[in-house]
Amino acid sequence: MTKLTATINGRQERLDIEPLETLMDALRNRLHLTGTKEGCREGECGACTVLVDCKPVNACLFAASAVEGRRVETIEGLNDAPAKRLQDAIVAAGGVQCGYCTPGFVVMIIALLRRHPAPDEALIREALSGNICRCTGYAQIVDAVLAVAKANNGQQS
Ligand code: FES
Ligand code: FES
């Protein structure tokens, strides 16, 4: 076991991890942050997306030891007004069915909206190209982000 210290959702955490443990397993099994979903474990589905120093990563491929001293945000920590607006928009657009993919999408979209508050459809689809949803067909999720982008655009003008 080795010691890991990192800021997780704004809280300083100290935990014991195995040398090769993934960030996904550390979050889910040691901190019980199970909103980070386990899908493929191969970096293909995006269900495990979290932010490390504001950048989205696949937590199933990211070594837990690599977040030493860094800032991690999971779906549980994304509860400010912009994140709530996005989640409401996804629900309103019918972008949640089984919901398994939803946390990964929300985390990825928040990262996008922080960089581009009013992204166009091409930017949204590019940002979400690593996230798989087997239920919705994606259009509803894209519509939700476009609705948020439109609202953000209105606020800027
Ligand atoms: S579980 Fe990490 S990308 Fe699928
Ligand atoms: S809502 Fe079921 S996988 Fe996306």
Side-chain angles (χ1 to χ4, degrees), residues 6-21:
T7 305
I8 316 264
N9 295 333
R11 275 179 48 154
Q12 179 95 336
E13 301 279 4
R14 260 177 81 75
L15 52 156
D16 293 319
I17 54 165
E18 299 288 349
L20 297 179
E21 188 163 326

Side-chain angles (χ1 to χ4, degrees), residues 24 37-48 58 60:
M24 181 180 76
K37 297 299 179 201
E38 177 178 349
C40 63
R41 290 191 80 98
E42 293 180 348
E44 297 291 336
C45 74
C48 64
N58 288 323
C60 69

Side-chain angles (χ1 to χ4, degrees), residues 95-102 105 132-136 141:
V96 182
Q97 289 186 26
C98 81
Y100 201 81
C101 69
T102 308
F105 271 91
I132 291 175
C133 175
R134 299 212 179 278
C135 305
T136 66
I141 298 171

Side-chain angles (χ1 to χ4, degrees), residues 40-59:
C40 63
R41 290 191 80 98
E42 293 180 348
E44 297 291 336
C45 74
C48 64
T49 306
V50 301
L51 304 179
V52 176
D53 292 336
C54 293
K55 286 180 69 173
V57 303
N58 288 323

Side-chain angles (χ1 to χ4, degrees), residues 75 77-89 106 110 113:
I75 187 68
L78 295 176
N79 49 23
D80 59 1
K84 287 197 177 115
R85 261 197 302 278
L86 171 63
Q87 292 178 35
D88 288 348
V106 168
I110 289 292
L113 291 171

